[in-house]
Amino acid sequence: MSADIIPLRPRETAPSLGPMMTLTASGMNAVNAVILDRMQSEIPLIPALAGHLIAGGGKRMRPMLTLAGAALCDYHGTRHHKLAAAVEFIHTATLLHDDVVDGSEMRRGKAAANLVFGNPATVLVGDFLFTRSFELMVEDGSLKVLKILSGASSVISEGEVDQLIAARQIETSEERYLTIIGAKTAALFAAATRIAAVVAERGEAEERALEDYGRNLGIAFQLVDDAMDYDSASDEMGKGRGDDFREGKMTLPVILAYARGNEDERAFWRAAIAGHRTTDADLSHAITLIHRHDAVGATRDRARHFAQRAIDAIAGFPASEAHAAMAEAAEFAVTRRA
Amino acid sequence: MSADIIPLRPRETAPSLGPMMTLTASGMNAVNAVILDRMQSEIPLIPALAGHLIAGGGKRMRPMLTLAGAALCDYHGTRHHKLAAAVEFIHTATLLHDDVVDGSEMRRGKAAANLVFGNPATVLVGDFLFTRSFELMVEDGSLKVLKILSGASSVISEGEVDQLIAARQIETSEERYLTIIGAKTAALFAAATRIAAVVAERGEAEERALEDYGRNLGIAFQLVDDAMDYDSASDEMGKGRGDDFREGKMTLPVILAYARGNEDERAFWRAAIAGHRTTDADLSHAITLIHRHDAVGATRDRARHFAQRAIDAIAGFPASEAHAAMAEAAEFAVTRRA
């Protein structure tokens, strides 16, 4: 690997996913075709429910990252299309089960699948998509890819359980929080980018570089998602604003506001996280406290740290359109607003 | 394959799983060790919840069938231990999700995991076990086994969705019912036995023979399970008696009682399956109607047909302890009582 370090720096226009979307546009058409094809079933409820979420948009960050990683590795085959679809199916299955677990009402700006189709069907269609993702991997036939993605899936489900346990636990530390988002979010980002290097047969060092890029990017994304739940009128992910607050999730803005707060403030947080402060006025007060201690700003600063680590992880790859797009995606992860 | 056809015939003692349990006893110790080892996690809730169900017993039919199939194929390695554990994890994950979907109260004679640990944790630990099953398969490294078990998993989840849709649908036909149990139950039995022939490298004909044995045995087992929900004081599976009735499940005893009933009886069934007849008196009346039309007996007769097909499917294998045990297991499937 040569050394073309691309630092985070001010630019004339706001960082965006545009370059990565341009880079991966034709590949994503192929991925989307696989997704649409493989979510079909003779049971019409399955594509109806899966399609409700999948057609609902989302950035398809994870498959796009697999494609960008493959471009970074100068890979010109097509194996990564099926694998990127498999990654998106794992993600979609996780979202469906999350929505059941959280009792979500909104997802990607629409009524959540569990509200439209009920919890039972949502659980089972999540299972279906998960099994389809493994069928896609088996068709590809790489045991190395299967190991990476089955390992990531296992880590994700452990992270989800861990998050469930930590909910409404006011004493959750920043370290514990980072462990949870490392598992529930960053593990799939890391796997999505690592498999690009595997498919391109680039060797262990490049595999690790791409994995490190993905893991750090995933942490940055989740940090900013969690920040946006307290600083935006309506979250770009389409979740309802204040969902985390009402579910008693110990995300970093709350952890920091609690740590930095006085005794009165801590008493409020204890009651809120325990589920005794759930009105709009309570949410407003929470946002006031979070901003009093700059907890959203601090969360974004933490995200910037991980985004820089992501950029540095792939610094050894030569300059290319893919390299620039991946660096800008990391900047976008930090700077995006609702 | 030579021809030692072992027909269903009267025997002096009731058929049992005893010979299969003896045959597989030491192998099952190894399988149980893998199960206990691989359900561990740093998140204590995971082994606690998984262990609640797994330690709760159950016959471990599916892993036992993998081991018996391997013995039938004269396989003397150990690869099938991990794979049998993977099969049991898929089954356990399915049970956990089923209990959430059905709102079960009892499983294997104990309070169902969803009642003890809540739906969210039960969904997520199901996911965890499912991912662990794939990790075990990936460690084994056979793409052929991965294809068989990921395909079966996909079929199972389709079958579960199909069953959910058919619930409370009085017009469900016997054909539709057979399609559903073929997917939700028999697919995993078929995969469990087929992979034994794969591990033993016995070739396509033996693979198919074992798959056909497993599929037909699975159908027979499910038919008798469904019969026992209407003919026993308390189901040996530890489900609450009458669960199927209260959930409006269109199992074969109901399908036949409805088809054979007069207009008054059909009106009762329509109301009951729609959820308007759920008292103990309603259940008693349902059982009366089912027995008036010998719908439990007819269901057991159907099971006998599939059990015989299972026995005939492996008729080409030479006589052996495994062969006799597998034939007796098929007889047991049909004759067992609660």
Side-chain angles (χ1 to χ4, degrees):
Chain A
M1 295 196 282
S2 70
D4 293 84
I5 294 170
I6 301 182
L8 277 181
R9 63 179 184 281
R11 42 173 78 228
E12 310 212 343
T13 57
S16 83
L17 283 182
M20 189 178 284
M21 291 167 77
T22 303
L23 175 77
T24 60
S26 86
M28 283 303 293
N29 280 339
V31 172
N32 288 332
V34 176
I35 288 173
L36 283 175
D37 182 45
R38 294 313 181 86
M39 68 186 224
Q40 296 309 313
S41 162
E42 287 180 16
I43 319 293
L45 175 60
I46 291 176
L49 195 156
H52 177 80
L53 177 55
I54 289 172
K59 292 181 292 297
R60 308 226 168 144
M61 264 310 284
R62 294 155 190 80
M64 208 156 59
L65 285 167
T66 301
L67 269 50
L72 185 73
C73 292
D74 206 27
Y75 173 71
H76 293 283
T78 58
R79 280 177 57 197
H80 57 330
H81 296 154
K82 266 188 189 173
L83 295 176
V87 166
E88 185 68 4
F89 277 169
I90 292 172
H91 175 56
T92 308
T94 306
L95 291 185
L96 290 174
H97 286 185
D98 273 0
D99 284 344
V100 169
V101 165
D102 294 343
S104 303
E105 299 187 349
M106 295 284 285
R107 170 72 71 184
R108 293 179 177 165
K110 299 176 28 172
N114 47 306
L115 276 198
V116 179
F117 298 94
N119 283 342
T122 305
V123 169
L124 297 176
V125 173
D127 291 351
F128 171 81
L129 291 176
F130 197 69
T131 60
R132 278 286 159 99
S133 83
F134 275 88
E135 289 193 299
L136 283 164
M137 292 177 228
V138 170
E139 284 174 29
D140 174 69
S142 162
L143 281 166
K144 195 162 183 183
V145 168
L146 273 157
K147 185 167 157 59
I148 291 166
L149 283 171
S150 64
S153 299
S154 183
V155 167
I156 291 166
S157 58
E158 280 186 292
E160 299 278 356
V161 175
D162 205 12
Q163 174 177 256
L164 184 68
I165 295 167
R168 304 209 178 283
Q169 302 292 319
I170 191 69
E171 298 301 340
T172 304
S173 67
E174 178 167 353
E175 301 311 310
R176 173 95 190 273
Y177 164 82
L178 285 172
T179 300
I180 290 171
I181 70 172
K184 75 161 189 156
T185 304
L188 191 56
F189 275 73
T193 46
R194 178 165 195 158
I195 61 174
V198 174
V199 168
E201 300 179 1
R202 287 293 295 259
E204 182 72 14
E206 278 88 346
E207 278 183 39
R208 281 187 196 275
L210 273 166
E211 178 181 18
D212 291 344
Y213 169 87
R215 183 184 311 100
N216 284 295
L217 181 67
I219 293 171
F221 251 96
Q222 187 63 56
L223 281 161
V224 173
D225 266 2
D226 291 345
M228 289 197 303
D229 210 56
Y230 290 98
D231 79 348
S232 64
S234 70
D235 183 320
E236 72 161 2
M237 300 304 281
K239 293 193 302 181
R241 190 196 195 196
D243 276 0
D244 289 349
F245 178 73
R246 292 195 176 86
E247 289 163 17
K249 283 204 179 143
M250 287 301 289
T251 59
L252 191 58
V254 173
I255 292 168
L256 294 176
Y258 178 71
R260 295 173 178 185
N262 63 29
E263 259 319 301
D264 280 354
E265 292 174 13
R266 290 187 171 206
F268 168 81
W269 285 115
R270 276 191 291 270
I273 292 303
H276 307 313
R277 298 280 183 278
T278 60
T279 66
D280 286 351
D282 293 325
L283 175 59
S284 287
H285 185 57
I287 291 171
T288 300
L289 298 185
I290 280 173
H291 286 271
R292 179 178 299 165
H293 296 291
D294 195 26
V296 159
T299 299
R300 285 186 179 273
D301 286 345
R302 304 289 207 277
R304 179 164 294 279
H305 161 87
F306 289 102
Q308 185 64 59
R309 281 168 64 172
I311 289 168
D312 287 330
I314 56 167
F317 285 87
S320 68
E321 183 190 352
H323 201 164
M326 290 173 76
E328 186 164 340
E331 296 187 53
F332 168 76
V334 178
T335 54
R336 72 206 164 102
R337 301 276 162 185
Chain B
M1 295 196 282
S2 70
D4 292 85
I5 294 170
I6 300 180
L8 277 180
R9 62 181 186 280
R11 41 175 78 228
E12 312 213 342
T13 56
S16 84
L17 283 181
M20 190 177 284
M21 292 169 77
T22 303
L23 174 76
T24 61
S26 86
M28 283 304 293
N29 281 340
V31 173
N32 288 332
V34 176
I35 288 173
L36 283 175
D37 181 46
R38 295 311 181 86
M39 69 187 222
Q40 296 309 314
S41 162
E42 289 179 15
I43 319 291
L45 174 60
I46 290 176
L49 195 157
H52 177 80
L53 177 56
I54 288 172
K59 293 181 292 297
R60 307 226 169 145
M61 265 310 285
R62 293 156 192 79
M64 207 157 59
L65 284 168
T66 301
L67 269 50
L72 186 72
C73 291
D74 206 27
Y75 173 71
H76 293 283
T78 57
R79 280 177 58 197
H80 57 330
H81 296 155
K82 266 189 189 173
L83 295 176
V87 166
E88 186 68 3
F89 276 170
I90 292 173
H91 175 57
T92 308
T94 306
L95 291 185
L96 290 174
H97 286 185
D98 272 359
D99 284 344
V100 169
V101 165
D102 294 342
S104 303
E105 298 187 350
M106 296 283 286
R107 170 71 71 182
R108 292 177 177 167
K110 299 175 30 171
N114 47 307
L115 276 197
V116 178
F117 298 94
N119 283 342
T122 305
V123 169
L124 296 177
V125 174
D127 291 350
F128 171 81
L129 291 176
F130 197 68
T131 61
R132 279 286 159 99
S133 83
F134 274 90
E135 289 193 298
L136 283 164
M137 292 177 227
V138 170
E139 284 175 29
D140 174 69
S142 162
L143 281 167
K144 196 163 182 180
V145 168
L146 273 157
K147 185 168 159 57
I148 291 166
L149 283 171
S150 64
S153 299
S154 183
V155 168
I156 292 166
S157 58
E158 280 187 292
E160 299 278 357
V161 175
D162 204 13
Q163 174 176 255
L164 183 69
I165 295 167
R168 305 211 178 279
Q169 301 293 318
I170 190 71
E171 297 302 339
T172 304
S173 67
E174 178 167 353
E175 301 311 310
R176 174 96 190 272
Y177 165 83
L178 285 172
T179 300
I180 290 171
I181 70 172
K184 74 162 191 157
T185 304
L188 191 56
F189 275 73
T193 46
R194 178 165 194 157
I195 61 174
V198 174
V199 168
E201 299 178 2
R202 287 295 293 260
E204 182 71 14
E206 279 88 346
E207 278 183 39
R208 281 187 196 276
L210 272 165
E211 178 182 18
D212 292 344
Y213 169 87
R215 182 183 312 102
N216 284 296
L217 181 68
I219 293 171
F221 250 96
Q222 188 62 55
L223 281 161
V224 173
D225 266 3
D226 291 343
M228 290 197 303
D229 210 57
Y230 289 99
D231 80 348
S232 64
S234 70
D235 183 322
E236 71 161 2
M237 299 303 281
K239 291 192 304 182
R241 189 196 196 195
D243 277 359
D244 289 348
F245 177 73
R246 291 195 177 85
E247 290 163 15
K249 282 205 179 143
M250 287 301 291
T251 60
L252 191 57
V254 173
I255 291 168
L256 294 177
Y258 178 71
R260 296 173 179 185
N262 63 29
E263 259 319 301
D264 280 356
E265 293 173 14
R266 290 186 170 206
F268 168 82
W269 285 116
R270 275 190 292 270
I273 292 303
H276 308 312
R277 299 278 183 280
T278 60
T279 67
D280 286 350
D282 292 325
L283 176 59
S284 288
H285 185 57
I287 292 171
T288 302
L289 297 186
I290 280 172
H291 286 271
R292 180 178 300 165
H293 296 291
D294 195 28
V296 159
T299 299
R300 284 186 179 273
D301 286 344
R302 303 289 207 279
R304 179 164 295 279
H305 160 87
F306 288 103
Q308 185 63 58
R309 281 168 63 171
I311 289 167
D312 287 330
I314 56 168
F317 285 86
S320 68
E321 184 191 353
H323 201 163
M326 290 173 77
E328 187 164 339
E331 296 186 55
F332 168 76
V334 177
T335 55
R336 71 206 165 100
R337 301 275 163 188

